[in-house]
Amino acid sequence: MGFNWALLRFGPLVKSQIGKKTLYSFSLKIGTIFNFALVGIVLVFYYLFGNLDLYIFIFLIYLITNFQLELLKSYYRVVNRNKVYSKITSYQSLSLLIFTFILSYFLDGLGYALAYVLSTILPFWLFFKREKAQNLKLDVNRTEYIKYGLVTGVGMVANQVMITAGPILADFYGADPSEIASLKVSTILSFNLLIIPFLIMTTDFVYISKNYKNKHLLKSYYFGYVKSVFKLTIIPMLILFFFNKEIFILLFSDKYLDAVSFNLVLLFAVYFSIFLRAP
């Protein structure tokens, strides 16, 4: 769910450290409940309409553990403990690398899936124990806070659904397996460009939240964002555009050349959508 973003949005507006810690504890409680509810709905759906795959079950666990870790990282951003935030991120990346190598060697694809879950559990366990839950009154409007978290969470789910809907719909309408594979491959390069606005928004979210009433500052920030993103993306975009076919052959072999044209369309769509992903 989107309560990690809700914490980044409302947390900087809370004056005291105790108030911020209370908001974090509330977010952890309510967000975990909603995530378990979502997992329960998915489990019931698979129980009624199909067999539950082991990989799906692991992914559902990952939804919960990843939310808890991302919320903890958001908390350290809100209280301006950026060194701890960086440590958690480093631990997560390092543990994912180690677990992936070890577990994939012994368990193949299952080990790869388990590595993602363990790489969120380990850093959360290491840093969460330092933060004791508070049981005080919230310094923000509870209803507005929950609404923001839910709406943001639904938006994130919808965004992911839009990314994955193409291959699913193609399979539903009886497309050939090779065509579905090409469709999946065509999204890899273009959708990875979306990491750029995501990183920028994650970095500046606390700053934006603190100044959400300053229209002049937000307008200046937006134009600065557009300039920065343009400088960061124009060269990769031109390389992908002019050498699209050669890059596809290099990365995926020539059997996916039928995905080149669709990838070009996605490149332009994703590139211009990046400039709309701003406050």
Side-chain angles (χ1 to χ4, degrees), residues 14-22 75 78-81:
V14 178
K15 302 297 183 181
S16 68
Q17 295 296 320
I18 294 178
K20 292 177 180 179
K21 189 179 293 185
T22 301
Y75 168 72
V78 167
V79 296
N80 295 317
R81 296 175 64 181

Side-chain angles (χ1 to χ4, degrees), residues 152-164:
T152 305
V154 171
M156 294 174 66
V157 171
N159 184 59
Q160 292 301 314
V161 168
M162 290 301 296
I163 292 175
T164 58

